[in-house]
Amino acid sequence: MANSTLTVIAGPTIATFNLPLTICHGSESPILPTTSVEGITGTWLPSTVDNMTSGTYVFSPNPDQCATESVTIAIEVTPLTTPTFKTINAICEGGTAPELTLISIEGITGTWLPAVIDNTTTGTYTFTPDPGQCASPTTITVVVDPAEFIPTFDVIAPICAGSSAATLPESSNEGITGTWFPAVINNMMTTTYSFTPDPGQCAIPTSLEVVVNGQMIDVFGVFCNQPGVEPIDLALLLPGDIAEGGQWTDVDNSGALNNSVFSPEGLTGSSYTFEYTVMQDGCVTTATVEMTFSQDECGIVLPCGSVAVYNAFSPNNDGVNEVFMIENLQQFDCYPTNIVRIYNRYGVLVYEAKQYDNDGTSFKGISEGRANVGDELPTGTYFYVVQYTTTEGSTVSLDGYLYLSR
């Protein structure tokens, strides 16, 4: 009897595959192999991996391989993470640019293009994650502000002289903080206020004018009381911006005032005060005119007179009150040397002279300082410093505000 061989086959083989169980959304789909690690051939349903949605894939072996009927594999599609970064605040043109960090808040690593922030212009920067992190590219914009940004402020409505004044704002309309000079609004005269931004805000200084209508002004003049002296029209002493048609008052009841004409002949007093009031721009303007007897006006040689500073003048070419008057400073026999300095509201020197004499050497409202030499200076408030010596050898200093009106 012939021998025969019996082959015993073990139970069905389970097909296995080297497939990733998770992939990134939108990444390259893995290929479903038609042959398992064990050499089992078959087909898949679906036949390709969807890289947009998680799903299950069923492998069905071909017949006669002693393999399990089917194998199911689940492949999860992981959503992409968008990397985020700390906000980079706007920088000033030419300022120090921050570095672009290579790790996001979520711990995603990658590279930037461009790799370095340009501190001269606003730009967009693209972050590309390193492979295998299921993260998508993202962009940020870094704003570069111009280095000469000018802050703006709402206009402060005009006020009447002596009334309550508004407060200068602590910050501009754009949120720029800084300091003002002067720091408080002067409610007696129109003034321009200088705003200096705090550092690091890409802003440059600017100014804001607050108009004060109906000013209260002090005016000074001199007179002679000798026989034959000409009357003085006090209206000619007033600044040029004061309206006409107002009311004159003889405050001291001198009896020498007719409308605006002062007739000092025969008066015995040393000084007289007159007041001019007029409605101007909805407010009352008051000018107090103080007339002082001067022997110089009468051609009489005086002993040393006191130095007196007149704090207002109007260089408007009308022939009256054209220069900054410092009475008696020209008496060089009494005051051998002097120096006069004038500063604008920014503290910039606009005039400086030695041996000031109220005539050829005098401040006529023309810049003679460090800049804009020869230019007419605008109406406004200035600051004077006067220093002079006496025959006794002492030095005297005077300072204060000076109002220039055209």
Side-chain angles (χ1 to χ4, degrees):
M1 181 175 177
N3 292 330
S4 62
T5 300
L6 176 64
T7 301
V8 179
I9 300 174
T13 300
I14 300 174
T16 60
F17 300 89
N18 293 323
L19 284 171
L21 300 182
T22 59
I23 62 173
C24 295
H25 184 275
S27 64
E28 184 178 355
S29 298
I31 297 175
L32 295 171
T34 56
T35 302
S36 73
V37 173
E38 298 79 14
I40 298 170
T41 61
T43 57
W44 290 92
L45 188 67
S47 61
T48 57
V49 174
D50 183 353
N51 63 355
M52 305 299 288
T53 306
S54 297
T56 55
Y57 300 85
V58 179
F59 178 78
S60 298
N62 293 327
D64 301 327
Q65 297 183 88
C66 201
T68 55
E69 291 184 0
S70 63
V71 173
T72 299
I73 294 178
I75 297 180
E76 181 182 359
V77 176
T78 302
L80 295 178
T81 298
T82 301
T84 59
F85 299 87
K86 291 183 179 179
T87 301
I88 297 178
N89 295 325
I91 62 176
C92 298
E93 182 180 358
T96 301
E99 293 184 359
L100 293 167
T101 179
L102 299 178
I103 302 176
S104 75
I105 294 173
E106 299 78 13
I108 298 168
T109 60
T111 56
W112 289 94
L113 186 69
V116 179
I117 292 176
D118 182 350
N119 67 352
T120 64
T121 184
T122 296
T124 299
Y125 300 82
T126 301
F127 179 79
T128 301
D130 293 330
Q133 299 180 94
C134 284
S136 60
T138 190
T139 60
I140 63 170
T141 298
V142 179
V143 176
V144 177
D145 289 328
E148 295 189 353
F149 175 77
I150 301 177
T152 61
F153 298 88
D154 291 335
V155 174
I156 295 178
I159 61 174
C160 291
S163 64
S164 297
T167 302
L168 291 167
E170 296 181 355
S171 61
S172 74
N173 294 332
E174 300 79 14
I176 302 297
T177 59
T179 55
W180 290 96
F181 180 80
V184 179
I185 292 178
N186 182 348
N187 67 347
M188 299 303 294
M189 63 178 61
T190 297
T191 304
T192 299
Y193 300 85
S194 175
F195 179 78
T196 302
D198 292 330
Q201 299 181 95
C202 306
I204 62 175
T206 188
S207 61
L208 177 68
E209 182 181 60
V210 178
V211 175
V212 178
N213 293 322
Q215 302 177 39
M216 302 175 70
I217 300 172
D218 293 326
V219 179
F220 302 90
V222 294
F223 70 89
C224 173
N225 60 3
Q226 298 301 303
V229 67
E230 292 290 332
I232 303 170
D233 188 350
L234 301 182
L236 298 177
L237 302 181
L238 300 178
D241 58 351
I242 293 184
E244 299 178 355
Q247 179 69 42
W248 283 94
T249 302
D250 186 351
V251 176
D252 294 332
N253 296 314
S254 69
L257 185 69
N258 182 14
N259 291 323
S260 65
V261 177
F262 172 48
S263 302
E265 181 177 346
L267 292 178
T268 58
S270 60
S271 67
Y272 297 91
T273 300
F274 307 94
E275 191 172 86
Y276 176 74
T277 57
V278 64
M279 285 297 296
Q280 190 168 355
D281 297 321
C283 303
V284 176
T285 286
T286 302
T288 301
V289 182
E290 183 176 341
M291 300 298 293
T292 303
F293 171 73
S294 170
Q295 293 184 3
D296 282 348
E297 287 292 300
C298 301
I300 302 173
V301 176
L302 287 172
C304 293
S306 298
V307 174
V309 179
Y310 297 161
N311 64 353
F313 75 114
S314 54
N316 54 11
N317 298 318
D318 63 359
V320 179
N321 208 21
E322 292 287 338
V323 303
F324 173 40
M325 177 65 68
I326 309 173
E327 188 175 11
N328 296 322
L329 193 63
Q330 76 280 7
Q331 295 182 358
F332 298 130
D333 289 341
C334 301
Y335 311 109
T337 64
N338 69 62
I339 184 169
V340 176
R341 298 182 178 92
I342 309 293
Y343 300 87
N344 67 12
R345 61 182 177 271
Y346 304 114
V348 176
L349 182 70
V350 297
Y351 177 85
E352 182 178 37
K354 296 180 180 180
Q355 299 306 91
Y356 195 93
D357 62 7
N358 298 312
D359 188 14
T361 304
S362 60
F363 179 45
K364 304 176 181 65
I366 304 298
S367 176
E368 299 179 24
R370 300 172 184 168
N372 302 322
V373 175
D375 289 355
E376 285 191 353
L377 294 168
T379 293
T381 303
Y382 295 79
F383 189 81
Y384 68 83
V385 177
V386 177
Q387 293 180 318
Y388 62 90
T389 58
T390 67
T391 54
E392 291 81 17
S394 61
T395 299
V396 180
S397 294
L398 303 173
D399 59 67
Y401 288 101
L402 167 65
Y403 181 70
L404 185 159
S405 173
R406 294 193 179 278

